[in-house]
Amino acid sequence: MNVVIMGPPGVGKGTQSWRILSDLGLVHISTGDMLRIAIRSGSDLGLKVKSVMAEGDLVLDALVMEMIRDRFKQPDAAGGWLLDGFPRTLVQADGMNKMLTEVGQTIDVVLALDVPDDEIVRRLTGRYTCRKCNAITSREQLNEDNPTKCANCGQDALYQRGDDREETIRRRLQVFRDRTWPCTDRLGESFPLHRINGLGTPDEVAQRIASVLE
Ligand code: AMP
């Protein structure tokens, strides 16, 4: 099964993606994770995208399309994937449609999660990510004795992403509403699109998603 999950930063995409991946055994293709790895490794791509990402702007379509094209060519991408963070622009959405036709694949379901902007700011300013395993947690769930310890992998590696500051979050949200949200309608023209209410506990949202994926 090939799934695309879309939604503003902080809607709970990361948390829900983890559940879908383990439930359905899909490969996780996250352009945000791929770009952060590129930055950490100091590659040419990483150097090109570092400041753009720190500002909360979108990386150039051509760079992301090339990265995704390479990823789709890897053997594990043939057996079902969850695409997270892509497409982010209409150019990417149309490019992906073409690319899928080329590799003989399709999208079985597009999940579009949404919550109001103020809730997103509240959530993201308290969000922590694990540098080792990419698990996500909130300020309230941090280990009191060791706030940087990840509950998922046990490593001392939790940190707050540089682009999770309020000013940057507002900027990312504006970019999202202007440029990315229109992609949901565009994908909906060719593939089954389901809009999911992202308010409530992670379990409640997971339940809504599960009823769509059944
Ligand atoms: P994410 O982890 O999906 O929130 O992505 C973090 C940042 O990576 C975004 O704010 C963008 O700067 C960049 N990024 C991730 N995916 C894309 C994409 N498909 N197109 C352009 N920029 C992207």
Side-chain angles (χ1 to χ4, degrees):
M1 184 181 232
N2 294 333
V3 181
V4 175
I5 187 163
M6 300 191 67
V11 74
K13 251 183 324 146
T15 309
Q16 297 303 330
S17 293
W18 278 87
R19 296 185 180 221
I20 298 170
L21 290 168
S22 58
D23 288 353
L24 300 182
L26 304 175
V27 171
H28 191 204
I29 302 182
S30 156
T31 45
D33 284 351
M34 291 163 82
L35 291 166
R36 278 184 289 277
I37 289 168
I39 291 175
R40 249 178 265 152
S41 73
S43 67
D44 281 353
L45 174 65
L47 293 174
K48 280 186 197 150
V49 303
K50 192 172 178 179
S51 59
V52 176
M53 280 178 71
E55 293 293 318
D57 284 326
L58 291 182
V59 170
L60 287 178
D61 286 329
L63 293 177
V64 180
M65 290 304 296
E66 197 184 317
M67 192 174 78
I68 279 286
R69 193 179 292 278
D70 287 347
R71 185 66 187 84
F72 272 129
K73 281 187 196 146
Q74 289 169 25
D76 67 346
W81 35 255
L82 174 72
L83 198 49
D84 172 1
F86 180 93
R88 283 280 229 287
T89 65
L90 290 175
V91 169
Q92 293 178 17
D94 292 341
M96 177 173 71
N97 219 334
K98 243 177 93 186
M99 211 186 296
L100 288 175
T101 311
E102 279 165 25
V103 294
Q105 293 206 35
T106 188
I107 296 169
D108 298 296
V109 54
V110 179
L111 302 169
L113 273 72
D114 205 8
V115 299
D117 287 1
D118 284 344
E119 168 68 8
I120 286 169
V121 173
R122 192 190 68 76
R123 288 183 186 184
L124 282 190
T125 48
R127 176 167 92 166
Y128 290 77
T129 306
C130 178
R131 213 182 283 285
K132 296 285 180 208
C133 73
N134 289 320
I136 293 156
T137 190
S138 64
R139 183 172 290 135
E140 301 86 57
Q141 290 171 308
L142 296 182
N143 182 317
E144 275 183 25
D145 298 328
N146 182 1
T148 54
K149 183 174 175 179
C150 173
N152 185 54
C153 72
Q155 302 246 33
D156 199 12
L158 288 181
Y159 77 111
Q160 190 159 35
R161 273 170 44 182
D163 55 357
D164 278 348
R165 283 185 290 264
E166 177 155 356
E167 201 188 295
T168 318
I169 291 165
R170 296 263 177 210
R171 167 102 192 100
R172 287 166 68 203
L173 270 174
Q174 193 192 349
V175 170
F176 177 82
R177 298 283 175 215
D178 290 349
R179 301 190 60 194
T180 303
W181 209 225
C183 294
T184 56
D185 286 328
R186 181 62 64 88
L187 291 180
E189 289 166 15
S190 310
F191 310 105
L193 166 69
H194 295 269
R195 296 194 182 276
I196 312 268
N197 174 5
L199 284 175
T201 63
D203 282 344
E204 285 164 348
V205 179
Q207 193 51 50
R208 288 174 205 140
I209 291 177
S211 62
V212 164
L213 294 178
E214 262 165 27

